[in-house]
Every structure is written in structure tokens, then in C-alpha cells.
Amino acid sequence: MSKKTAANNEPKAADGAKAEEAANPISAAAQAPINAKLKPEARIELFRTMVRIRRFEERCLRAYQQGKIGGFLHLYIGQEAVATGCVSVLGDNDHLITAYRDHGHGLAVGMSMNEMMAENYGKATGCSKGKGGSMHYFAPDKNFWGGHGIVGGQIPLGTGIAFALKYKGLKGACLAFMGDGAVNQGAVHEAYNLAALWDIPVVFIIENNGYSMGTSQTRSSAGESLAKRAEGYGMTWGICNGHDLYEVRDKVAAAIQLAHEKSRPSVLEIRTYRYRGHSVSDPDSTYRRKSEVEDYRRTKDPLQLFQTSLIAEGVLDEEKAAKIDAEARAEADAAADFADASPPPTVEDISKDIYWEQDAPADQRTKGRLLFD
Amino acid sequence: MPVITYREALNQALAEELDRDPNVILMGEEVGQFNGAYKVSEGLLERFGSKRILDTPISEAGFIGLGLGASMLGLRPVMELMFWSFYSVAFDQILNNAANVRYMSGGLIHCPIVIRGPANGGTNVGATHSHTPENICAHHPGVKVVVAATPADAKGLLKSAIRDNDPVMFMENTILYNDKGEVPDGEHLVPIGLADIKRSGTDLTIVAHGRAVLTSLKAAEQLQAEHKISAEVVDLRSIRPLDEETILKSVRKTHRVLLVEENKPFCGVDAQISYLIQEKAFDDLDAPIKRVSAIDAPQIYAPALEREHQLPNPARILKAALEVLR
């Protein structure tokens, strides 16, 4: 697929334009300034991140099937280009927050497979010391304010994070991720209203994978578009092809620029697809046909599309791609071994990390460990 | 010491903390231009400007969540609920987020947020505007719950709450806003987690919080005057953390206990305190514990009934006290 052909099919970049499936969307958006300036090594790193997310997820699934991971496990397989693309355009003062499908975001911001897998295993070496689990990753040192378990409940928080950035005079934005199911939650609309009313530099990102748990979007959301609801709040909105890493980067960068320069919020609906069920306990057979998933995998897999693009661009070859893949698999295996060998939290640990006051050493109690102190 | 109202004491606390720390902001429905539905924030917009005193839409889940997100980064938002009854609209943010985020992050994040506003019945506003949710909030580890009965405590506790690095649910009482009392000028801090003996006595311990403290004090005076009974009144001030030591010390002195609260009795704060006493001071009791709570029904509107009958009144407290002492 040539770059030229793809460019002709590039959906209009204007906000609200209907995203059409382009023949080769990846190489089309690759010509956008933010992508054109990417060095070959940086492109390969983006590919590596996507591969690592995929292999980590697959390893998680196996661990779940082995009974090593408890509770829910919401896999991100199929959506890798979204988190990878979004995080790759963030600056030092940009932050993000997401819902329970948070593994991709965690790896994208630079969390280690070890701390993530150990968290899934409920081990003391996990990012949240085994207290949060798969749905609740946090890495505030990487500007990542968590995976949150209640659909839409994190959206006001993300708006507040962006509010705080503006209050402190920092040129920053917060990406507040939600799934398509969240758009019908009241908290999301309350946050939209506040953000638009107060000029809060937040980017609301709808990762639209087509299904709100097991209910397809056509059966759960009224109106012609999820993002278009932003119009009612006077917010800029857009739709983006989520299989195309380059397009994700381009559109998110534009939204961040709007936040940085005009302190305006926006809504970006990134159309993507998940290959697995809502969570691993979801048999995924009652609400969609197997062929739907297979068709998608065959024609729009973000990993495959990007690999094809990179090979066409001449920055990657099959051999190198296979090596990156093998490294990611080995890393995920090692993370599982690490998690296996790690100790669970102790019984005493159950009662820690509830109140700052109880945990903080006496000298910290008057000062605190807060970003703005 | 200057004598000011409960409302003015809260206003002083807000003004002093806004003045002291640029990270403190006040947010809520009509806290700015309107000076607060109950005028607690009078003059603050004029003094501190609209960057720090923010009028929110009627949107509790949205703005409480927003304040919480801002607190995660280190602002110290004080969020006014026009009525604590509206906690239910924002409860996902309070319960799932404020109470849990520290724990779920393994201690990486904390939220120095204060959520405050008037609670309790007694103003004939019906069931939806009369909630007393300190027991509901206190049920959840991760938040602190504070209730002030006097102007001095209102000021000192609110200042402490704003400086606290954990989420603090600060419950005021609509009826008390005009109550007057001596309040120290300037820096006056009441530590969270410390109960106060509002009246010393030897025959009976009355444990109460909020306006029930004042009702209990009236009853205690009557017990003294009419029955020569010396009642000690313990004001909890903080429901969580709970000052067990002060309660137990008083019980060990008087050996008889009456618990008074304006909440409904079922799963109320006093149920917890009653358990605490039987667990840790059972041998010190000379009589079964009694409770006086609001009548177990949704808050009634009827002005003729609500304050004097549905809520604890001195007569009911007196009657119950005499039963404990029988």
C-alpha cells in the first residue's frame, strides 16, 4: 500500500468529520508534522510499546487461566495503538487517568511489566502493593493517576487534575480516558459541563471499542455519534481511527495543543476494537459473532498495520520485528516469574495505606508529599 | 475572647486558611456571588477572587470529583455541599474515589480535600434535605468525619481539616449557624480525633456529637437541678477517628452511659460506641447502656413535630437518663 493512495483516502481532519476507513490510514497520517519528524528509532520504540502491551496481555490471560490472577481482568488486546499513540505525545506537564482497562496505559507511561504483573497477582511487589489489582494501577511519578473501577467515575477526577494544572499556571493537560459505555454516565456530562464552563485543559478521550460490556453501542447509546454530544457543551470534538497509531498521535496532539494554548477542553472519540470479552470472565459469544472479531483482526489489527507501515517506510524488517516480539514475550514471561516468586502482602499490610496520617513518618506529617508543596 | 456565631467561626477558619495557603480553594453551589446558601462564605469572593472562590453548577458528582482530582495533585479544595443530604449524588466520588484511592494506589496518592456543609434535620425541609450521614461516611475507612457543636470547635476543627492530608467530611448543623460562643482570634486549632468533655460529672456519662451535645447539656443542667444527678457530657467532635480513650475514661468514672445522637438509630454512630463500651469497659458498667436518637422514620416535615419530637429533646434525654440511673 503506497503512502499516496492512503493520503487520498485520509478522512477530513476537521472536527466532527466522519472517520472513513482509509485503505492505508497509517501511512496517511504519518505525513502529519508530528509524525513526519519522528526518528526511525522513535518509530520502532512505538512499535515496541504496542508489542509489549499485546504480549503482556496475552501472558496475563494465560496466568488468569492458570488461576494466578483473581477477580476481573480487562484485556486491552486490539486497542494498543490508542494508549501508545496518546501517551507518546504527552509533555512533562501532561497527565492521564483512565478506567479499569488500564494495562496499556500503564505500559505506555513506562511502568514495568514486573510491577504490573505482580499487581495482577496480588503481590506486595505490585505497583499498588497488591491492594489495587488489575483495575487499579497508579504511577503518579509518571503522571498516571490511575485505573479506576467505576465506569465514568474517573472523568471528574481527570477534569480536576487539569484544573489543578491550570490553577498552578502550568502549561499542561490531562487526558481523561473512558470507554464508550461511560458516555452515558451522568458524571461524564457533569465533567464536560465544568470543563467547558471553566476552560479546563482536559482532553476527554472515548476509547470506543464498540461494546459497553456486552451491549453493543447501537443498543446502548442514543444519537449519531458519541463524541458529537460535546457540541451541546460548546466543545471541540473529533473522531479518530484507533487502528492507526499515526492518526491517534496527530489528533491527540492537536487536542493537547488546544488545551495548552487556549486552555480549552475537547472530546476525541477514538474508534478501536477489543478482541477479547469485556473481561476474561465474559464468554464473548452471546453478543457478537466470531467472524466479526476475525475479520477485524485480519484487516485492522493495529500492530500488524503499524508493522506493515514501518516495513514499507524502511525502518523495520521482518527479522527485527520478530526479535522485538520475542523480547516482549520473554519480558512478559519474566514478569510472570517475578510475580510468581514475589510474596503476597502481609496480614499487617491490610491495615496500612488507608490514612496518610497513619503511614507518614512523624516529620512528614506537617509537610506531606504533594506535587505542589 | 470575642463572641461570634458558628457561621462567623467557620468563615474565619476559611478566610485564615485561604490567606495562609495559596493551595486552598473554596468551591460549591453559590459560595461566591451569593456568599453561600447559609452565608458561611460571606465576603470571601471579594477578598480572594474568583480564581479561588468558585461558584459551581448544581452538579455534585462533577464538582466533588473535580475537587478530588485537584487534591490528588496537591491543591487543598474545600468543597461545600449546600446540604449534606446531597452527599448521595456525589457518593461515588466520596466513597469509591476519596475513600479508596490511597489504599488502591498502595499509598502513592493522598487527597487533602474537605467536603463540608450543613447536615441534620430540624429546619422543616423534609426527608430529602435532612440527612445526617456521619455514620454512612464513617463506615468507610479512608475518610475522616468531623462534627462541630460549638463556634470555637467549628473554627478549630475546620482549620485542622483543611490542613489534614486525608479526605475530611466536615458536618455542620443548619440550626447552629446563628449560635454564639467565645472563639479565639487568629490561630486556633482543634485536633481531629480528640473528644472534649463539655461538662464534667460523676454519675452518668452522656456521649453526643453535633447539636445533640447542646441538647444533652440542657438535659444535664435539668438533671442536676431537679434530680441532683451529676452528668458528664462527652462531645465526640470527631466520629472517625474516634477518641476511644476519652469515652472509656469517662465510663470508668461514672459507670453509667447514655448515648445521644440526631441520627436514626439503626446502624447509627451510637451503635458503634455502644459496642466499643461493652467490648472495652463492660465490667465498669453498672447499668445497661441506653440511647436517644431521632425517631426511626424518614425526617418528618410537620413543623409542630420535627425538632421537638422526632429529634432528641431534653425531655427524652432526661427520661432515658433516669432509666439508666434507676
Side-chain angles (χ1 to χ4, degrees):
Chain A
M1 288 179 279
S2 76
K3 284 178 194 176
K4 205 173 171 204
T5 316
N8 293 338
N9 289 331
E10 166 70 350
K12 279 202 163 44
D15 292 320
K18 190 175 185 310
E20 286 161 17
E21 302 303 346
N24 185 353
I26 292 185
S27 43
Q31 289 161 0
I34 189 147
N35 293 319
K37 71 179 181 191
L38 270 180
K39 293 208 163 61
E41 304 80 57
R43 291 171 197 244
I44 288 173
E45 278 317 298
L46 290 170
F47 176 69
R48 189 190 304 280
T49 301
M50 286 169 69
V51 174
R52 288 175 70 234
I53 294 171
R54 172 88 40 110
R55 301 309 168 217
F56 177 79
E57 296 269 277
E58 288 170 351
R59 189 65 190 82
C60 286
L61 176 59
R62 264 203 293 154
Y64 188 88
Q65 286 160 344
Q66 291 165 342
K68 306 256 187 190
I69 296 176
F72 296 126
L73 184 70
H74 304 91
L75 296 176
Y76 199 64
I77 299 175
Q79 303 185 210
E80 293 89 347
V82 184
T84 306
C86 290
V87 172
S88 70
V89 295
L90 298 183
D92 288 348
N93 289 325
D94 297 322
H95 294 247
L96 72 153
I97 188 165
T98 189
Y100 43 81
R101 198 178 305 282
D102 57 357
H103 302 169
H105 308 80
L107 279 174
V109 299
M111 291 174 75
S112 73
M113 280 197 195
N114 278 4
E115 62 179 322
M116 287 168 47
M117 189 69 85
E119 188 60 33
N120 292 359
Y121 276 52
K123 298 298 182 75
T125 51
C127 53
S128 300
K129 302 180 188 165
K131 293 177 170 182
S134 159
M135 298 191 285
H136 307 117
Y137 288 177
F138 291 86
D141 61 322
K142 298 176 175 67
N143 291 0
F144 178 37
W145 297 91
H148 294 263
I150 303 293
V151 173
Q154 77 283 6
I155 299 302
L157 296 183
T159 311
I161 288 164
F163 172 90
L165 294 169
K166 183 184 177 189
Y167 184 87
K168 296 304 275 191
L170 297 168
K171 201 171 181 176
C174 182
L175 305 189
F177 289 86
M178 69 190 104
D180 43 287
V183 300
N184 298 318
Q185 285 277 24
V188 171
H189 291 271
E190 296 192 23
Y192 279 6
N193 182 51
L194 282 159
L197 197 63
W198 290 355
D199 293 321
I200 297 176
V202 55
V203 182
F204 298 107
I205 294 182
I206 304 165
E207 289 196 62
N208 182 356
N209 62 25
Y211 294 92
S212 307
M213 295 198 296
T215 305
S216 75
Q217 209 178 89
T218 50
R219 295 201 299 126
S220 59
S221 291
E224 55 190 282
S225 148
L226 306 185
K228 196 178 177 187
R229 296 180 185 189
E231 275 180 15
Y233 300 96
M235 264 190 293
T236 303
W237 62 282
I239 293 173
C240 171
N241 174 358
H243 337 128
D244 180 347
L245 180 79
Y246 286 135
E247 188 178 328
V248 171
R249 279 173 49 86
D250 188 27
K251 297 225 163 127
V252 174
I256 289 176
Q257 196 180 359
L258 182 70
H260 284 186
E261 289 172 6
K262 301 225 164 95
S263 194
R264 282 299 292 171
S266 56
V267 177
L268 187 61
E269 175 185 346
I270 305 183
R271 292 193 174 157
T272 179
Y273 197 75
R274 66 167 148 80
Y275 296 173
R276 313 296 308 193
H278 165 70
S279 83
V280 217
S281 52
D282 160 10
D284 186 26
S285 55
T286 52
Y287 58 88
R288 61 181 180 185
R289 289 191 309 277
K290 237 182 176 167
S291 60
E292 180 184 310
V293 185
E294 281 161 8
D295 285 351
Y296 201 92
R297 253 182 204 279
R298 206 175 50 247
T299 59
K300 293 181 195 137
D301 184 75
L303 210 56
Q304 192 55 52
L305 288 176
F306 193 49
Q307 180 173 324
T308 308
S309 175
L310 289 183
I311 290 172
E313 290 165 37
V315 298
L316 187 71
D317 56 36
E318 297 280 0
E319 196 186 338
K320 187 149 191 205
K323 187 165 175 272
I324 288 169
D325 194 57
E327 284 166 359
R329 285 173 197 271
E331 188 188 0
D333 282 340
D337 292 343
F338 170 81
D340 241 337
S342 292
T346 64
V347 175
E348 290 72 37
D349 289 335
I350 295 175
S351 304
K352 290 177 188 162
D353 302 314
I354 299 170
Y355 292 100
W356 180 88
E357 185 185 58
Q358 284 173 356
D359 304 327
D363 59 333
Q364 269 191 29
R365 276 187 209 142
T366 50
K367 212 163 172 248
R369 188 198 63 80
L370 293 160
L371 204 68
F372 296 150
D373 277 0
Chain B
M1 240 187 293
V3 174
I4 59 172
T5 64
Y6 188 93
R7 168 189 290 115
E8 288 162 340
L10 292 165
N11 183 275
Q12 264 186 21
L14 289 169
E16 285 173 21
E17 294 307 300
L18 280 157
D19 206 31
R20 192 184 63 84
D21 182 351
N23 287 324
V24 176
I25 54 175
L26 175 68
M27 219 185 272
E29 290 150 3
E30 308 194 339
V31 297
Q33 281 189 28
F34 196 71
N35 285 318
Y38 286 93
K39 306 295 172 217
V40 169
S41 48
E42 185 129 39
L44 297 181
L45 174 65
E46 204 178 338
R47 183 164 163 199
F48 296 99
S50 58
K51 187 187 174 193
R52 303 185 64 197
I53 311 295
L54 294 104
D55 280 324
T56 66
I58 300 171
S59 180
E60 283 81 7
F63 76 75
I64 297 286
L66 186 150
L68 193 62
S71 81
M72 284 159 58
L73 256 68
L75 292 190
R76 293 184 171 274
V78 180
M79 317 298 296
E80 178 173 305
L81 284 173
M82 190 180 280
F83 292 93
W84 255 103
S85 293
F86 305 156
Y87 79 97
S88 55
V89 181
F91 211 30
D92 176 50
Q93 297 301 332
I94 296 171
L95 161 62
N96 275 311
N97 292 339
N100 285 343
V101 79
R102 176 169 179 78
Y103 196 72
M104 293 194 308
S105 68
L108 292 174
I109 295 172
H110 57 284
C111 309
I113 188 173
V114 177
I115 302 174
R116 53 155 285 271
N120 300 69
T123 49
N124 317 125
V125 288
T128 57
H129 286 60
S130 303
H131 279 285
T132 309
E134 58 263 31
N135 58 327
I136 295 171
C137 291
H139 181 69
H140 299 282
V143 296
K144 296 179 176 177
V145 181
V146 168
V147 186
T150 66
D153 284 349
K155 177 174 177 179
L157 283 168
L158 183 54
K159 282 171 71 78
S160 294
I162 294 170
R163 298 184 196 185
D164 202 286
N165 279 335
D166 292 310
V168 181
M169 308 295 118
F170 191 93
M171 291 173 199
E172 298 151 20
N173 187 310
T174 330
I175 302 176
L176 298 183
Y177 281 135
N178 288 327
D179 271 26
K180 284 186 177 171
E182 287 192 337
V183 178
D185 253 337
E187 188 77 343
H188 166 60
L189 292 170
V190 173
I192 292 174
L194 202 63
D196 186 36
I197 310 278
K198 287 285 192 284
R199 183 187 197 277
S200 191
T202 51
D203 303 330
L204 169 72
T205 293
I206 301 178
V207 182
H209 65 273
R211 198 179 74 104
V213 172
L214 310 178
T215 322
S216 299
L217 284 170
K218 277 186 203 151
E221 291 305 320
Q222 230 175 319
L223 278 168
Q224 187 71 57
E226 295 167 16
H227 302 276
K228 301 276 178 283
I229 291 165
S230 158
E232 177 149 300
V233 178
V234 177
D235 175 5
L236 293 175
R237 296 200 291 205
S238 160
I239 309 299
R240 186 165 190 152
L242 187 66
D243 181 358
E244 297 187 359
E245 203 181 313
T246 298
I247 300 168
L248 295 172
K249 205 172 150 199
S250 179
V251 172
R252 289 179 181 129
K253 180 167 82 172
T254 67
H255 309 291
R256 288 168 195 269
V257 181
L258 176 64
L259 308 176
V260 185
E261 68 175 326
E262 293 202 343
N263 212 335
K264 314 293 187 250
F266 199 89
C267 297
V269 170
D270 285 350
Q272 176 67 25
I273 294 170
S274 174
Y275 176 74
L276 165 80
I277 295 168
Q278 81 81 29
E279 185 193 27
K280 297 193 173 163
F282 185 73
D283 291 342
D284 287 285
L285 289 177
D286 284 347
I289 299 168
K290 273 208 162 290
R291 300 166 69 190
V292 176
S293 320
I295 289 173
D296 200 15
Q299 204 67 16
I300 195 168
Y301 159 69
L305 294 180
E306 190 194 15
R307 202 185 292 193
E308 294 311 319
H309 294 277
Q310 185 159 17
L311 295 178
N313 57 36
R316 279 173 61 200
I317 296 171
L318 197 75
K319 182 167 171 280
L322 293 174
E323 283 169 15
V324 175
L325 283 150
R326 191 161 54 205

